[in-house]
């Protein structure tokens, strides 16, 4: 905050031989200096951001104990939906893989079966906090395997969305390492703590790639430009860890509204081919919202501006 200025009542009584120079800041009618004005603006911004953070803390307090479980479920919901899609469209999936991808009959069955088992098992492990490292590794393997199997590695939308999904999975891994540290609080855990910091850093950076994909794709309108500007600023804040909880909360709200308005698959006829694409995008966006919720609950981690501000 800016410092107050006190006028000296004896200012006019200073002898001439002491070389008195009037203070332009204290002189009535004089303009404030540039640095002081800048400090006042920064102080105002900090005051507003602190008020917003306090409001978020206050209004989310009743649901805070449930946020980690909800976030974990949302992160894996896209894998559960995909596993259900494969099982309910088994013959169509086989036909596509064999006809368009050239995978032989037996390998096509094995490919789909491995995907279903890995997605269901990995999702259960993440939700139940059982073997989180193996669960996350299984789901990461699914992302790579599907990219290769369906030939989507070089599709920009698929690539950016799955980077964000990977970011959410890394947040889960970081959270599991944090829980381990609490279990063995009396023992040295420097290596685990460092790993957790790196996973948090990588996770929050990758989480914002979905919104970057939203910015670079689609038709430009006035509303889209405004949303893109504010969303991009929030993404940068999340990536560097500056006011990370506030900016992640803003992105959760923005993506949730965007998801309902744009990826409204329920409004499309079940026989329309676009329905499956909208449904896939809808659940992937939910997974990324889950990753952001986990970030709100955990904080940005050691490698962040917020954490460095506590030190200095």
């Amino acid at each position: 905050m800016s410092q107050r200025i006190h006028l000296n009542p004896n200012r006019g009584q200073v002898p001439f031989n002491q070389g008195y120079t009037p203070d332009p800041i204290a002189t009535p009618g004089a303009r404030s200096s540039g640095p002081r004005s800048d400090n006042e603006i920064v102080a105002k911004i900090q005051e507003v951001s602190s008020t917003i953070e306090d409001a978020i803390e206050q209004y989310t307090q009743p649901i805070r104990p449930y946020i980690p479980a909800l976030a974990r479920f949302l992160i894996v919901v896209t894998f559960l939906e995909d596993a259900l899609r494969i099982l309910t469209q088994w013959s169509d999936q086989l036909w596509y893989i064999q006809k368009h991808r050239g995978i032989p009959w037996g390998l096509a069955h094995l490919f789909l079966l491995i995907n279903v088992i890995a997605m269901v098992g990995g999702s259960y492990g993440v939700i139940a906090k059982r073997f989180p490292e193996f669960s996350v590794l299984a789901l990461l393997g699914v992302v790579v395997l599907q990219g290769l199997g369906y030939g989507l590695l070089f599709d920009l939308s698929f690539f950016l969305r799955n980077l964000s999904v990977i970011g959410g999975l890394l947040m889960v891994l970081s959270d599991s390492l944090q829980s381990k540290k609490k279990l063995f609080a009396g023992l040295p855990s420097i290596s685990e703590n460092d790993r957790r910091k790196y996973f948090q850093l990588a996770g929050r950076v990758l989480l914002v790639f979905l919104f970057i994909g939203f910015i670079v794709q689609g038709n430009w309108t006035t509303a889209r430009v405004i949303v893109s500007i504010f969303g991009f600023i929030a993404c940068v804040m999340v990536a560097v860890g500056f006011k990370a909880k506030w900016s992640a909360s803003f992105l959760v709200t923005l993506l949730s509204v965007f998801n309902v308005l744009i990826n409204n698959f329920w409004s499309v006829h079940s026989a329309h081919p676009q329905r499956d694409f909208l449904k896939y995008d809808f659940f992937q966006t939910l997974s990324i919202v889950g990753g952001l919720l986990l970030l709100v609950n955990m904080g940005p981690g050691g490698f962040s501006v917020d954490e460095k501000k506590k030190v200095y």
Side-chain angles (χ1 to χ4, degrees), residues 176-187:
S176 67
L177 294 176
Q178 186 177 27
S179 301
K180 279 187 176 182
K181 183 183 176 183
K182 289 178 182 177
L183 289 175
F184 305 102
L187 299 177

Side-chain angles (χ1 to χ4, degrees), residues 17-287:
N17 59 4
Q18 289 186 9
Y20 167 73
T21 302
D23 185 0
I25 298 178
T27 304
R31 293 185 178 180
S32 300
S33 62
R36 181 173 177 270
S37 300
D38 293 342
N39 290 338
E40 287 179 347
I41 294 173
V42 171
K44 277 290 185 184
I45 294 174
Q46 290 177 344
E47 183 181 348
V48 171
S49 65
S50 297
T51 303
I52 294 173
E53 286 178 350
D54 291 341
I56 292 174
E57 291 286 336
Q58 178 183 352
Y59 291 110
T60 59
Q61 198 65 36
I63 63 172
R64 188 172 295 276
Y66 308 102
I67 288 179
L70 174 62
R72 286 172 173 273
F73 173 74
L74 290 177
I75 286 171
V76 300
V77 73
T78 186
F79 296 101
L80 294 173
E81 188 275 332
D82 204 25
L84 182 62
R85 181 203 303 264
I86 291 176
L87 291 174
T88 56
Q89 301 177 359
W90 185 267
S91 57
D92 292 335
Q93 296 285 337
L94 280 176
W95 178 83
Y96 177 83
I97 291 174
Q98 293 177 65
K99 182 73 173 177
H100 293 277
R101 299 299 301 161
I103 299 177
W105 182 83
L107 288 178
H109 287 75
L110 185 62
F111 171 79
L112 293 179
L113 189 61
I114 289 174
N115 272 275
V116 171
I117 293 174
M119 286 190 288
V120 173
S123 298
Y124 169 76
V126 168
I127 294 172
K129 295 186 177 181
R130 301 293 300 272
F131 309 107
E133 293 90 349
F134 295 107
S135 301
V136 169
L137 188 61
L139 296 177
L140 288 175
V142 167
V143 173
V144 177
L145 190 62
Q146 287 196 354
L148 292 171
Y150 290 100
L152 297 172
L153 283 180
F154 298 103
D155 181 88
L156 182 60
S157 177
F158 174 87
F159 182 72
L160 293 175
R161 282 178 172 276
N162 278 278
L163 281 180
S164 292
V165 171
I166 291 172
L169 292 174
L170 291 179
M171 295 299 293
V172 169
L173 200 55
S174 174
D175 185 47
S176 67
L177 294 176
Q178 186 177 27
S179 301
K180 279 187 176 182
K181 183 183 176 183
K182 289 178 182 177
L183 289 175
F184 305 102
L187 299 177
S189 57
I190 297 177
S191 60
E192 291 289 328
N193 191 43
D194 288 343
R195 285 173 59 197
R196 182 166 60 90
K197 289 179 181 179
Y198 284 114
F199 283 135
Q200 278 182 286
L201 172 62
R204 72 170 192 265
V205 169
L206 292 177
L207 275 172
V208 304
F209 274 90
L210 168 68
F211 199 85
I212 294 175
F214 168 75
I215 294 175
V216 300
Q217 295 177 342
N219 298 321
W220 288 101
T221 61
T222 303
R224 187 184 181 89
V225 170
I226 295 172
V227 171
S228 297
I229 290 172
F230 283 101
F232 181 75
I233 292 172
C235 286
V236 173
M237 291 170 68
V238 166
V240 301
F242 175 67
K243 300 292 181 183
K245 289 188 176 183
W246 180 87
S247 51
S249 300
F250 173 75
L251 284 178
V252 165
T253 305
L254 189 62
L255 286 176
S256 298
V257 173
F258 162 80
N259 205 23
V260 172
L261 295 179
I262 305 299
N263 298 324
N264 52 345
F265 66 91
W266 53 87
S267 65
V268 180
H269 192 273
S270 58
H272 198 288
Q274 188 66 19
R275 180 185 173 91
D276 271 351
F277 291 103
L278 290 174
K279 195 174 183 181
Y280 174 78
D281 291 346
F282 178 84
F283 283 101
Q284 271 213 324
T285 304
L286 280 184
S287 293

